[in-house]
Amino acid sequence: MDQQLLSRTFVELADNLVADFDLMDFLCLLADRCVGMLGVNAAGVLLADRNGELRVMAASSEQVRLLELFQLQNDEGPCLESFRTGAPVSVPDVTTEIHRWPRFAAQAHRSGFAAVQALPMRLRDEVVGALNLFRSDAGPFDPVGTLIAQALADVATISLLQQRTTHRSTILNEQLQTALSSRILIEQAKGKLAERLDIDMEQAFSALRAYARAHNRRLSDLARTFIDGTEPLNGLVV
């Protein structure tokens, strides 16, 4: 494991809530770094909305985003269980859980994922979401990697909650509602760009995110201006 990258990731996750904090980019950073450091093939981040319902907020690939949506739509799977219990859920082989989560286990297998680990995003007794790690090969998850992944999830949760005071839930709800609205804008921009350039949705998202970072723009703001036609995206690299 790249120790310098690990240290930098903890610093970035702990030091992101500033005036122009971009929650979507923050959550994408968490998912991407898990894939880059923990030996997993994909990662997703789910957060609860104001009604306590989980929403897919970030995913390292389009394939895992669709699997996360499938899990929520069918109300079964390790990520939901981890969020509801506040405890980690580790599944070394999804085919052994066909009776526990029949629809999710079958869909995960069809999507090319053989093992999954769900970790709660929590601060003490408060659980705000789940960090989900997917592997294409079956087998137990590395205990050290699990500790690091939970630490990343915990630090990210603290960063999400650190600005809250006596109006903690109101502020968090506003943050999450804004993030949900941003997610919709980003999905629309991905679809528009994918159609324009004849590329897939994952390539479209990577291009949008790279452009936003290169031009020091918030991803959600860029998506909005691209959708309404005021941002031509000159110099976009696919």
Side-chain angles (χ1 to χ4, degrees):
M1 183 178 296
D2 187 330
Q3 297 297 322
Q4 290 186 338
L5 179 60
L6 178 62
S7 299
R8 188 164 70 249
T9 299
F10 275 112
V11 171
E12 289 174 322
L13 292 176
D15 192 33
N16 257 290
L17 285 188
V18 292
D20 60 347
F21 173 61
D22 188 339
L23 180 56
M24 292 306 304
D25 195 58
F26 173 82
L27 297 174
C28 289
L29 171 70
L30 174 61
D32 290 348
R33 290 296 172 81
C34 284
V35 174
M37 296 188 301
L38 301 178
V40 297
N41 300 101
V45 182
L46 282 65
L47 293 181
D49 63 17
R50 65 181 62 187
N51 298 314
E53 298 294 327
L54 283 178
R55 305 292 183 184
V56 180
M57 302 307 300
S60 62
S61 70
E62 186 68 12
Q63 187 177 32
V64 79
R65 187 184 75 86
L66 294 175
L67 179 58
E68 297 278 41
L69 286 173
F70 181 89
Q71 181 174 195
L72 297 180
Q73 290 166 354
N74 289 275
D75 195 34
E76 66 169 44
C79 308
L80 283 162
E81 183 172 316
S82 179
F83 171 69
R84 290 167 178 168
T85 64
V89 177
S90 187
V91 183
D93 187 349
V94 295
T95 61
T96 64
E97 304 295 337
I98 197 71
H99 299 294
R100 186 179 183 184
W101 306 305
R103 288 166 292 188
F104 170 79
Q107 185 62 31
H109 183 68
R110 285 193 293 268
S111 299
F113 297 117
V116 58
Q117 185 173 57
L119 303 167
M121 295 185 67
R122 67 189 178 203
L123 179 62
R124 301 183 183 90
D125 296 329
E126 184 172 8
V127 184
V128 302
L131 170 63
N132 311 305
L133 310 175
F134 299 85
R135 277 208 332 254
S136 58
D137 57 315
F141 285 83
D142 175 37
V144 174
T146 297
L147 290 174
I148 292 173
Q150 184 64 69
L152 290 170
D154 291 345
V155 170
T157 304
I158 292 169
S159 289
L160 288 171
L161 304 182
Q162 72 177 3
Q163 284 190 337
R164 296 189 300 167
T165 56
T166 55
H167 303 293
R168 316 175 16 164
S169 35
T170 299
I171 295 172
L172 179 61
N173 284 335
E174 290 174 355
Q175 289 174 340
L176 296 185
Q177 194 57 44
T178 299
L180 288 170
S181 299
S182 297
R183 181 81 254 176
I184 293 171
L185 284 172
I186 291 167
E187 291 302 315
Q188 292 173 341
K190 282 166 54 180
K192 181 178 178 179
L193 185 61
E195 182 179 8
R196 173 187 290 185
L197 300 181
D198 192 26
I199 57 179
D200 62 37
M201 295 286 277
E202 191 168 337
Q203 289 175 310
F205 177 71
S206 296
L208 283 171
R209 190 177 178 204
Y211 187 95
R213 288 190 163 189
H215 293 80
N216 197 27
R217 298 282 302 280
R218 290 167 60 94
L219 186 57
S220 54
D221 291 342
L222 178 65
R224 182 181 294 104
T225 56
F226 176 59
I227 292 168
D228 65 24
T230 59
E231 182 73 46
L233 297 185
N234 295 326
L236 183 77
V237 177
V238 178

